[in-house]
Amino acid sequence: MTKAELPVSRQQLGWLAVMLLAPMLLVSIAATWAPPKPGDTAAHGLLGWSVIGAITLGLLALLYVVARRRAIEIDDTAIVVRHSLYTLRLRRADVSALHLRQVATLDQLGLSLRRNGIAACGYYSGWFSGPRGERTFCAISTWPAYLITVEGQARCRHVALSIPPELARRIAAWAPP
């Protein structure tokens, strides 16, 4: 069994943090400058700041999960990729062949639509549609990446992963002969 962590780009995580927390900063500024309504008490203001704080903590927890959940496990029966909020399980029994190729840009992946995933600032995680509508699972946070084309009965036809070359060789060796 092989277990490895997928690489993560601190710069991309920084941009994700800005995208998540910038609206909360704007709300905080608006709450500070907004004049109180007639009948507002200190308890109303405290309640508002408590809600803003709770939402901010929730967003920080989400960012923590996105940053920490990034692993791949390869054993004799399956490949399991856990990336941010999404998981791919590719069973060996459903795969007749795998083809790997290194890609250096998003255009080479041929993604056409985000189905259920995160696509922001070069960070791609989750389910996307390929050029002909086929399901593509992405776990990309650094470039270059590997595009794995799956043949057989698996529901996912393409897997795009940010992995080192030695892990790509391990995945290629995992494929049935």
Side-chain angles (χ1 to χ4, degrees):
M1 176 184 243
T2 301
K3 288 185 179 182
E5 280 195 6
L6 298 172
V8 66
S9 166
R10 294 188 192 281
Q11 180 182 8
Q12 289 170 345
L13 289 177
W15 282 113
L16 286 173
V18 167
M19 289 174 46
L20 283 173
L21 298 176
M24 294 312 299
L25 177 64
L26 294 175
V27 167
S28 299
I29 291 170
T32 303
W33 286 346
K37 292 186 247 171
D40 275 352
T41 63
H44 291 118
L46 184 59
L47 177 64
W49 283 108
S50 298
V51 169
I52 290 172
I55 292 171
T56 301
L57 285 175
L59 291 174
L60 286 172
L62 177 67
L63 184 63
Y64 179 79
V65 168
V66 165
R68 297 295 301 160
R69 193 169 186 267
R70 50 186 176 85
I72 184 169
E73 296 176 10
I74 305 169
D75 64 23
D76 292 337
T77 61
I79 294 176
V80 179
V81 180
R82 292 178 178 88
H83 197 251
S84 68
L85 306 174
Y86 308 96
T87 301
L88 167 72
R89 178 178 296 278
L90 192 59
R91 295 180 336 134
R92 188 178 199 154
D94 295 336
V95 176
S96 60
L98 292 178
H99 306 283
L100 279 80
R101 75 178 165 102
Q102 191 174 32
V103 294
T105 65
L106 182 62
D107 292 339
Q108 291 175 332
L109 289 178
L111 300 178
S112 61
L113 181 66
R114 180 176 55 94
R115 288 182 172 186
N116 182 12
I118 300 168
C121 305
Y123 185 89
Y124 299 90
S125 182
W127 297 99
F128 295 79
S129 290
R132 290 178 283 288
E134 64 275 2
R135 291 179 68 158
T136 301
F137 182 83
C138 290
I140 297 176
S141 58
T142 60
W143 296 95
Y146 284 88
L147 179 63
I148 304 166
T149 303
V150 180
E151 292 181 11
Q153 301 301 317
R155 291 179 47 206
C156 182
R157 292 291 171 208
H158 299 286
V159 181
L161 301 173
S162 293
I163 54 175
E166 60 273 2
L167 195 53
R169 286 190 290 277
R170 172 70 176 101
I171 292 171
W174 175 85

